[in-house]
C-alpha cells in the first residue's frame, strides 16, 4: 500500500527536477516560504495527464498544493521525520534512488552500441589459460604471468597452438579440444576475453591479458557474420555405441516416412529428460551457446520442419528438427535487453570507473603519503595503536588510518597500494552519495518528494485511515448522512463505499483544522499573475 501511494505521489509531483534559480515566493506557511517554480513544475507536469475539467484548473491545483504542504509541515512538527523507523525506510529509498546517478550515460550507451555491433559477428578462437586468484600473492601472480609468456613465445616461434595449449593450459577441457573454444559472439564470454577476441586480427595471437579466471592468450581462428538464433527440437540418445546407432537409424526411418511424428517420437524415445516431455523442443540459442557439433547441424537446416540426419556429439546421438530461425533484431528492439546485460556484466566496471574518474577530477583529494607508507613498515594487525594519522582527505572530509584498517580486514592479499586504490575509490563514492542532495539539484528534488511522501503517508495513516476503522465514528457518520446520501442503502451491505466516504470526510476535517492551525499568506502579486497567466497545454 505504501509503495503504491508513493508511486502515485511521484506521478503527482513529477520525476523531473524543478529549478529554484528564481526565488519568487508564492506563499508562506507560518513565514516558511514556498516557491512559484515548484508549484509550476507540479502543475505543468500534471496538466497533460489529467482529463480536461474544472478539477485540473490552476486554482484547484494551487489549493491542492497548499493542502499538501500543510500536511507535510504537520508531520514534521509531529516529529515523524526524527523516528528511527522513518530514517531507516528513507535510507533504503535513498539507496535505490541514487543508483542512476552512479552511472555514466555516455559510457553506458557506447557499451550498448558496441555490444550490438559485436552481436553481428561471431569469432572462432582458441586459448591458453593459467589460473590466478584475486587474492594471490604478488609473487604467485608474477609466476603465472611468466608462464603464459613462455607459452606465447613457443607459439610465436612456430609451435602448434593446440600442442602448446595441451602442455601449458590449465583449462580442464584442453585435453579434448586443444584449447579450441569454437564460435561465440558478444555477451557470451567475460568482457575482457570478448574484448581481446574482437580486437585481435584473424590468425594473430594476442598478448597476455587477465580475466577473473587468470592469464590468457588467445588465437583468433575465424570471424564471420552472425547467424542470429535458432529454435530446434531434438531426439537424443545418451550413448555412442553401435547398438544405439541402429536404434537411432530406425527412428530416423520412421521420420522419413512420417515427419509429423517427430514430437511423439521425442516424447517416446529421447533421453534428454528436460526437453522430451515438450516434444524435444529446446530454447532458442545462438551458435556459441551450444557445442559446435550440435550448432553446426542446427544452423545448417534451412526451412522450418527440416529434419537432420542422425549425428553424434560428445553427449551421444541426435536427430534435430528446425522450428524457426531468428535473425538479429534491430538495435531499437534489442536495446532494453542489451542495456540490462551491459549493466550486469563486467562492462559495468567501466561505467563505474568513468564515474569515479569524473568525481576524482571534480573533488579536491589529498593523500597523506607518509601515512600510507606506514602500512609497508609497521604491522597494523599487531600494532594498531601506531596507526592514528589522517590518511586521506576528500574535500572537507578527513579519513583516518583506522578506517582503512577496517577495509583491509575484508580485503584480499593484494599489495597495500592496490588495496588503497580500491579504498580511495570507495570513499570517493561514499562522499558523493553522502553529499548528493547538496550537489545535485535533480536528485535533491526527487529525494525531497519521496521524503515528503513518506511523511504524508504516515500522517494519513494516523489522521485518516486508522480513525476510519473506528466503528462508532463510522456509524455516526452514516447516521448523519443516510437521509441525504444513503437513503436507499444500509451500512453493512455498502460498508466499503461508506468507509471511503468517511475517509474523505476525515481528511477534509483534518485539512480544515490545519488551515486553522497554520497561517497561510499568499504573495498577492505573484498569485494574481499566476491566475491570470495562460498556461500552454
Amino acid at each position: 500500500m505504501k509503495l503504491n501511494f508513493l508511486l502515485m505521489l511521484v506521478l503527482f509531483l513529477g520525476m523531473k527536477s524543478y529549478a529554484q534559480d528564481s526565488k519568487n515566493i508564492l506563499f508562506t506557511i507560518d513565514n516558511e516560504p514556498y516557491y512559484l517554480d515548484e508549484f509550476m513544475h507540479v502543475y505543468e507536469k500534471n496538466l497533460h495527464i489529467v482529463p480536461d475539467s474544472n478539477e485540473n484548473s490552476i486554482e484547484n491545483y494551487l489549493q491542492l498544493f497548499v493542502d499538501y504542504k500543510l500536511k507535510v509541515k504537520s508531520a514534521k512538527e509531529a516529529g515523524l521525520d526524527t523516528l528511527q523507523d522513518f530514517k531507516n525506510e528513507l535510507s533504503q529509498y535513498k539507496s535505490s534512488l541514487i543508483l542512476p546517478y552512479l552511472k555514466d550515460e555516455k559510457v553506458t550507451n557506447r557499451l550498448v552500441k558496441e555490444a550490438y555491433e559485436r552481436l553481428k559477428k561471431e569469432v572462432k578462437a582458441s586459448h591458453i589459460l593459467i589460473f590466478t586468484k584475486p587474492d594471490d600473492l604478488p609473487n604467485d601472480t608474477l609466476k603465472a604471468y611468466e608462464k603464459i609468456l613462455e607459452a606465447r613465445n613457443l607459439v610465436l616461434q612456430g609451435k602448434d597452438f593446440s600442442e602448446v595449449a595441451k602442455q601449458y593450459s590449465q583449462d580442464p577441457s584442453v585435453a579434448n579440444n586443444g584449447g579450441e573454444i569454437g564460435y561465440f559472439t558478444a555477451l557470451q564470454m567475460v568482457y575482457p576475453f570478448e574484448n581481446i577476441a574482437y580486437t585481435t586480427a584473424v590468425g594473430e595471437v594476442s598478448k597476455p591479458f587477465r580475466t577473473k579466471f587468470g592469464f590468457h592468450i588467445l588465437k583468433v581462428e575465424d570471424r564471420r557474420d552472425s547467424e542470429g538464433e535458432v529454435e530446434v527440437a531434438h531426439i537424443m540418445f545418451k550413448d555412442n555405441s553401435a547398438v544405439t546407432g541402429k536404434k537411432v537409424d530406425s527412428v530416423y526411418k520412421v521420420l522419413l516416412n512420417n515427419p509429423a511424428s517427430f514430437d511423439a517420437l521425442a516424447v517416446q524415445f529421447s533421453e534428454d529428460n528436460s526437453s522430451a516431455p515438450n516434444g524435444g523442443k529446446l530454447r532458442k540459442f545462438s551458435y556459441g551457446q551450444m557445442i559446435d557439433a550440435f550448432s553446426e547441424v542446427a544452423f545448417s537446416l534451412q526451412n522450418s520442419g527440416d529434419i537432420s540426419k542422425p549425428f553424434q556429439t560428445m553427449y551421444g546421438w541426435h536427430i534435430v528438427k528446425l522450428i524457426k530461425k531468428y535473425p538479429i533484431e534491430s538495435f531499437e528492439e534489442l536495446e532494453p535487453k542489451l542495456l540490462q546485460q551491459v549493466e550486469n556484466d563486467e562492462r559495468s566496471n567501466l561505467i563505474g570507473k568513468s564515474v569515479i574518474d569524473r568525481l576524482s577530477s571534480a573533488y579536491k583529494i589529498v593523500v597523506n603519503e607518509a601515512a600510507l607508507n606506514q602500512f609497508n613498515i609497521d604491522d597494523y594487525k599487531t600494532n594498531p595503536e601506531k596507526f592514528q594519522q589522517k590518511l586521506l582527505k576528500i574535500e572537507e572530509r578527513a579519513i583516518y588510518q583506522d578506517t582503512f584498517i577496517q577495509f583491509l580486514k575484508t580485503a584480499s592479499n593484494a599489495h597495500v597500494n592496490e588495496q588503497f586504490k580500491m579504498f580511495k575509490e570507495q570513499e570517493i563514492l561514499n562522499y558523493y552519495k553522502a553529499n548528493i542532495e547538496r550537489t545535485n539539484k535533480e536528485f535533491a528534488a526527487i529525494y525531497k518528494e519521496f521524503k515528503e511522501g513518506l511523511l504524508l503517508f504516515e500522517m494519513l495513516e494516523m489522521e485518516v485511515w486508522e480513525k476510519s476503522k473506528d466503528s462508532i465514528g463510522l456509524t455516526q457518520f452514516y447516521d448523519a448522512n443516510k437521509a441525504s446520501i444513503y437513503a436507499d442503502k444500509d451500512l453493512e451491505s455498502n460498508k466499503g463505499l461508506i468507509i471511503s466516504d468517511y475517509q474523505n470526510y476525515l481528511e477534509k476535517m483534518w485539512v480544515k483544522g490545519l488551515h486553522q492551525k497554520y497561517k497561510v499568506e499568499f504573495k498577492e502579486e505573484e498569485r494574481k499573475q499566476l491566475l491570470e497567466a495562460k498556461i500552454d497545454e
Side-chain angles (χ1 to χ4, degrees):
M1 182 179 181
K2 184 177 289 188
L3 179 60
N4 291 335
F5 173 81
L6 289 171
L7 289 174
M8 291 174 65
L9 179 71
V10 169
L11 182 63
F12 172 70
L13 292 173
M15 283 299 288
K16 293 182 179 178
S17 65
Y18 50 85
Q20 287 197 356
D21 296 331
S22 172
K23 293 294 184 181
N24 294 343
I25 298 173
L26 180 57
F27 63 89
T28 61
I29 300 176
D30 284 359
N31 296 319
E32 182 181 350
Y34 296 86
Y35 295 94
L36 175 64
D37 287 339
E38 182 181 359
F39 170 73
M40 289 305 299
H41 165 74
V42 174
Y43 177 71
E44 291 176 349
K45 179 72 176 180
N46 287 276
L47 186 65
H48 303 288
I49 61 175
V50 179
D52 245 354
S53 70
N54 290 333
E55 294 299 315
N56 71 352
S57 68
I58 198 164
E59 296 96 332
N60 186 64
Y61 265 99
L62 183 55
Q63 187 59 57
L64 288 173
F65 187 70
V66 171
D67 291 349
Y68 168 74
K69 292 298 184 181
L70 284 170
K71 294 170 184 175
V72 172
K73 186 173 182 66
S74 69
K76 290 179 179 178
E77 288 200 355
L80 296 185
D81 57 342
T82 66
L83 300 177
Q84 193 58 49
D85 284 349
F86 174 83
K87 290 180 179 180
N88 292 342
E89 192 161 6
L90 188 62
S91 177
Q92 291 177 2
Y93 277 115
K94 184 176 181 180
S95 297
S96 299
L97 289 172
I98 209 169
L99 290 177
Y101 297 89
L102 301 177
K103 299 173 183 176
D104 187 316
E105 189 174 349
K106 289 183 180 179
V107 175
T108 302
N109 290 339
R110 176 177 65 79
L111 290 170
V112 168
K113 290 176 182 176
E114 176 190 76
Y116 181 74
E117 290 303 314
R118 288 180 176 178
L119 282 174
K120 296 178 181 178
K121 296 288 183 180
E122 293 172 346
V123 178
K124 183 180 182 182
S126 299
H127 85 130
I128 294 172
L129 166 65
I130 305 298
F131 284 127
T132 63
K133 294 182 290 187
D135 59 352
D136 276 348
L137 294 172
N139 192 48
D140 293 330
T141 302
L142 179 61
K143 286 179 180 178
Y145 182 74
E146 289 174 343
K147 194 170 184 180
I148 200 74
L149 268 181
E150 186 179 317
R152 183 174 187 266
N153 287 334
L154 288 173
V155 174
L156 293 180
Q157 290 166 14
K159 192 166 183 178
D160 183 70
F161 192 97
S162 65
E163 292 303 315
V164 178
K166 290 176 181 177
Q167 181 182 351
Y168 282 85
S169 184
Q170 295 171 351
D171 184 335
S173 65
V174 71
N176 295 321
N177 60 27
E180 185 177 314
I181 302 168
Y183 284 97
F184 59 91
T185 188
L187 299 161
Q188 291 179 355
M189 301 290 184
V190 291
Y191 183 63
F193 193 97
E194 174 196 308
N195 225 19
I196 298 297
Y198 275 86
T199 55
T200 300
V202 174
E204 295 294 319
V205 177
S206 74
K207 292 181 179 180
F209 63 96
R210 193 172 184 181
T211 72
K212 62 183 179 181
F213 302 108
F215 287 108
H216 309 251
I217 56 170
L218 65 78
K219 180 180 180 181
V220 176
E221 311 282 358
D222 187 27
R223 188 175 287 117
R224 68 186 185 188
D225 291 338
S226 173
E227 298 192 56
E229 293 181 308
V230 69
E231 185 178 19
V232 302
H234 78 142
I235 298 172
M236 176 184 182
F237 295 87
K238 296 180 179 179
D239 186 351
N240 278 314
S241 68
V243 174
T244 302
K246 291 180 180 179
K247 188 176 182 181
V248 175
D249 286 338
S250 65
V251 172
Y252 181 63
K253 287 177 183 177
V254 174
L255 287 170
L256 288 177
N257 294 321
N258 184 12
S261 66
F262 191 98
D263 290 5
L265 290 172
V267 172
Q268 183 178 359
F269 292 107
S270 181
E271 295 175 0
D272 178 2
N273 295 329
S274 61
S275 68
N278 297 318
K281 187 176 180 180
L282 301 171
R283 289 183 179 181
K284 63 180 179 178
F285 57 90
S286 61
Y287 201 99
Q289 290 177 308
M290 291 286 190
I291 58 173
D292 277 3
F294 191 91
S295 290
E296 187 177 343
V297 174
F299 279 91
S300 70
L301 300 173
Q302 297 300 313
N303 302 306
S304 297
D306 283 357
I307 296 173
S308 75
K309 294 180 179 179
F311 65 97
Q312 288 176 290
T313 71
M314 59 189 295
Y315 299 108
W317 284 93
H318 309 261
I319 303 172
V320 171
K321 180 181 76 171
L322 176 63
I323 298 173
K324 188 176 180 180
K325 286 191 171 183
Y326 296 85
I328 293 176
E329 297 174 282
S330 69
F331 177 74
E332 289 71 24
E333 291 171 312
L334 277 179
E335 186 177 13
K337 180 182 178 182
L338 290 177
L339 177 61
Q340 185 178 33
Q341 289 176 298
V342 162
E343 291 181 342
N344 287 335
D345 79 355
E346 287 187 72
R347 289 165 172 81
S348 62
N349 295 336
L350 295 179
I351 301 170
K353 185 178 185 304
S354 175
V355 173
I356 290 171
D357 289 346
R358 174 171 56 82
L359 295 175
S360 297
S361 299
Y363 294 151
K364 183 180 179 182
I365 301 171
V366 179
V367 177
N368 184 341
E369 296 293 344
L372 178 58
N373 289 335
Q374 186 183 353
F375 285 89
N376 294 315
I377 301 170
D378 298 320
D379 187 351
Y380 68 87
K381 294 180 180 178
T382 56
N383 300 296
E385 71 282 352
K386 291 185 177 182
F387 293 82
Q388 305 294 328
Q389 296 185 71
K390 185 187 299 181
L391 178 62
L392 176 66
K393 189 175 181 182
I394 304 173
E395 294 289 328
E396 77 290 347
R397 180 170 179 255
I399 303 160
Y400 288 81
Q401 288 174 317
D402 61 340
T403 306
F404 184 40
I405 289 173
Q406 292 303 314
F407 176 86
L408 289 172
K409 287 180 179 178
T410 60
S412 65
N413 293 325
H415 191 274
V416 68
N417 288 339
E418 286 295 315
Q419 294 299 336
F420 179 73
K421 181 176 180 291
M422 291 186 280
F423 173 73
K424 185 173 74 169
E425 291 176 351
Q426 172 186 286
E427 292 304 314
I428 288 171
L429 284 178
N430 287 343
Y431 181 86
Y432 174 67
K433 289 187 281 189
N435 292 276
I436 190 170
E437 292 172 72
R438 181 170 55 84
T439 59
N440 190 301
K441 289 183 178 180
E442 182 180 54
F443 179 86
I446 297 172
Y447 182 61
K448 178 183 178 184
E449 291 165 6
F450 268 94
K451 183 177 182 179
E452 291 185 345
L454 280 174
L455 288 171
L456 180 55
F457 181 92
E458 297 298 336
M459 286 301 291
L460 283 170
E461 193 164 46
M462 289 169 53
E463 297 292 338
V464 177
W465 301 325
E466 283 298 321
K467 290 183 178 180
S468 69
K469 296 176 184 178
D470 175 22
S471 58
I472 296 175
L474 180 64
T475 301
Q476 290 174 344
F477 173 78
Y478 172 72
D479 289 341
N481 293 279
K482 64 181 178 181
S484 56
I485 302 177
Y486 309 115
D488 299 327
K489 304 167 189 176
D490 64 275
L491 179 57
E492 287 305 315
S493 59
N494 296 280
K495 200 166 187 178
L497 174 64
I498 297 168
I499 288 174
S500 178
D501 290 344
Y502 185 42
Q503 288 176 341
N504 290 333
Y505 167 77
L506 289 172
E507 186 170 1
K508 287 178 182 178
M509 292 299 101
W510 175 39
V511 171
K512 183 178 179 180
L514 293 176
H515 277 276
Q516 294 170 347
K517 179 179 179 180
Y518 301 108
K519 185 177 182 180
V520 178
E521 289 185 298
F522 280 94
K523 300 296 181 181
E524 286 304 323
E525 184 177 345
E526 295 290 343
R527 185 172 185 270
K528 183 179 179 182
Q529 290 180 3
L530 174 67
L531 297 179
E532 290 177 352
K534 293 183 178 180
I535 307 296
D536 293 332
E537 300 187 16

